[in-house]
Amino acid sequence: MDLQLNTYYTLICAALVLLLGKWLVANIRWLRNFNIPEPVAGGLVAAVLCYVLYAVWGYRLGFDADLQTAFMLVFFSSIGLSANFTKLKEGGRALLLFLLVIAVYIGVQNGVGVSLATLLGLDPLVGLIAGSMTLLGGHGTAGAWGSVLERDYGVQGAMTLGMACATFGLVIGGLVGGPLAKWLIRRHQLQGPHVAAAGTDTDNLVEADAYNFESPRKTRLITTDATIETLALFAGCLAFAQLMTTATAGASFQLPTFVWALAGGVVIRNALDYVFRFKVFDRAIDVFGNAALSIYLAIALLSLKLWELADLAGPLVIILAVQTVVMATYVGLVTFRVMGRDYDAAVLCAGNCGFGMGATPTAVANMQAITNQYGPSHKAFLIVPMVGAFFIDLLNAVFLQTFIKLLG
């Protein structure tokens, strides 16, 4: 029996998941030790409870997908609204270097997927589904390309398969990133700008002008006027995203709606900064963006259909397991070394795991879990959101189109 929860009940459930995650992380030591993000901790427990409801009583809970999408778009809009050209210039060589590292990884991820699918007797295109199409691209890219594979290339069940793989990646990306970064920090005896003493709230040690998303619990004073102005900016980003998505529908090269939301934020922010000389209230954008990030992740994990993951064929489970090992190995050996083998590089690794197997919101949550304990990393929080949310989708689309033409 299907039980579909409307917008209000979905929002209530998401809030309860976040409160549960906060309680779990505060009271279970190993969750703190492994830097598991609070939405992931609470969301996995909720997903298990939903699975029990289905397995024992046959109830399938459904949550408002439009609400989840809306919060995702708000989060990406906040990234764009936070990215003025001055900050983008700060990324400089490091941003280009990280982009090159990820570009190589896209090729590796797809090569592993296609090779294993062929060895296991599956359609090579299934290897792409278990590659960057879903693991790096996330649910949005999985849905867009899944329909193409079903319609034009005869891959039956590509959409369902893609959703299951993207779901697997979302969970693994949130579970691997924090522990791997912490292991790198300890192994190489790295230190952030501020290291908290035992029992100290690290957020109080972060400077007041910390870059957005680095310290989500830090108190920020926001006025009513600033709130209204910020809501208007977000509305502009969402309107731009909808307009561009509609205008480019059916084109040979398309971008997901969330990329247009981010791009809209960049355009609006820099137009206000350099054309109209209007000072954007960054603290309000920060609060809205962090809240949207947490709620998006909570709803995404609430919506996990674990019974679909349990039904994955054995060969696909093998591919996903190998992809996890390859991702962790690549991040630890390549990303960390190329990006400088320092504290910022370790935080970048946490973010790399987040969007390398899951999504950019997971990457940001992973980095928050690390910086909450070890101190801020402006470099990582400047580079990862822009690369993971914008440039990666452009590169991934090119790689996928190339692979599909070669394999189709």
Side-chain angles (χ1 to χ4, degrees):
M1 180 184 296
D2 292 326
L3 295 176
Q4 184 66 35
L5 301 184
N6 63 22
T7 301
Y8 308 115
Y9 289 109
T10 298
L11 186 57
I12 291 171
C13 290
L16 292 175
V17 164
L18 294 175
L19 292 173
L20 173 61
K22 182 177 181 179
W23 183 87
L24 289 172
V25 172
N27 290 276
I28 300 178
R29 185 174 182 179
W30 69 268
L31 289 176
R32 295 194 304 275
N33 290 342
F34 285 99
N35 298 102
I36 304 302
E38 292 173 358
V40 174
L44 287 179
V45 173
V48 171
L49 292 177
C50 290
Y51 176 76
V52 172
L53 280 176
Y54 170 77
V56 178
W57 293 285
Y59 290 106
R60 288 190 296 267
L61 291 181
F63 299 91
D64 190 340
D66 290 337
L67 186 65
Q68 177 184 342
T69 301
F71 279 110
M72 178 185 68
L73 294 178
V74 169
F75 166 69
F76 283 108
S77 297
S78 69
I79 295 176
L81 289 170
S82 301
N84 62 8
F85 290 139
T86 301
K87 288 181 179 177
L88 293 179
K89 289 179 182 177
E90 292 176 9
R93 177 177 174 273
L95 190 148
L96 295 176
L97 194 60
F98 188 64
L99 185 60
L100 177 61
V101 169
I102 302 305
V104 174
Y105 176 67
I106 295 176
V108 171
Q109 194 172 61
N110 285 324
V112 169
V114 170
S115 299
L116 287 176
T118 303
L119 289 174
L120 295 170
L122 302 176
D123 187 333
L125 291 175
V126 173
L128 283 185
I129 297 175
S132 72
M133 185 180 296
T134 62
L135 299 181
L136 191 137
H139 289 82
T141 305
W145 283 100
S147 60
V148 172
L149 292 180
E150 287 182 351
R151 182 183 67 249
D152 299 337
Y153 296 91
V155 182
Q156 297 300 319
M159 182 79 74
T160 301
L161 195 61
M163 291 297 110
C165 290
T167 298
F168 174 89
L170 186 68
V171 174
I172 293 299
L175 292 177
V176 173
L180 177 61
K182 186 167 186 176
W183 178 79
L184 289 171
I185 290 171
R186 288 186 169 182
R187 177 177 176 81
H188 297 278
Q189 298 180 344
L190 306 175
Q191 287 190 348
H194 303 284
V195 180
T200 301
D201 183 358
T202 57
D203 284 329
N204 292 331
L205 300 177
V206 180
E207 59 267 28
D209 60 347
Y211 187 76
N212 288 1
F213 310 111
E214 280 189 69
S215 38
R217 296 187 188 89
K218 189 172 183 62
T219 301
R220 295 168 175 84
L221 300 178
I222 300 175
T223 65
T224 302
D225 289 342
T227 300
I228 294 173
E229 291 171 359
T230 304
L231 285 174
L233 293 178
F234 280 115
C237 294
L238 300 184
F240 177 83
Q242 184 181 43
L243 176 65
M244 294 305 300
T245 300
T246 302
T248 58
S252 58
F253 184 82
Q254 301 180 48
L255 293 175
T257 303
F258 68 83
V259 177
W260 287 121
L262 185 149
V266 174
V267 172
I268 291 173
R269 170 60 186 265
N270 289 280
L272 291 174
D273 279 350
Y274 299 105
V275 178
F276 298 99
R277 303 297 178 182
F278 178 83
K279 184 172 178 58
V280 175
F281 201 77
D282 284 313
R283 287 177 293 178
I285 294 172
D286 188 8
V287 169
F288 278 98
N290 276 298
L293 166 64
S294 296
I295 296 173
Y296 162 74
L297 286 176
I299 298 175
L301 291 166
L302 267 174
S303 302
L304 288 181
K305 294 179 175 60
L306 294 179
W307 53 90
E308 290 185 0
L309 290 179
D311 292 337
L312 286 176
L316 192 59
V317 173
I318 294 174
I319 295 176
L320 293 174
V322 173
Q323 290 282 27
T324 302
V325 174
V326 169
M327 183 269 298
T329 303
Y330 184 90
V331 169
L333 295 180
V334 179
T335 303
F336 180 67
R337 294 183 177 182
V338 171
M339 297 310 298
R341 299 170 61 94
D342 56 10
Y343 174 71
D344 288 324
V347 179
L348 281 169
C349 287
N352 193 165
C353 290
F355 67 72
M357 288 292 289
T360 302
T362 309
V364 174
N366 283 350
M367 294 193 298
Q368 285 177 344
I370 294 297
T371 56
N372 281 343
Q373 180 174 355
Y374 294 100
S377 172
H378 298 319
K379 181 178 179 180
F381 276 86
L382 175 68
I383 292 174
V384 167
M386 290 302 298
V387 172
F390 187 69
F391 296 111
I392 281 304
D393 284 286
L394 297 175
L395 282 174
N396 199 21
V398 173
F399 270 89
L400 288 174
Q401 287 179 332
T402 302
F403 269 91
I404 288 176
K405 287 181 180 179
L406 293 173
L407 300 173

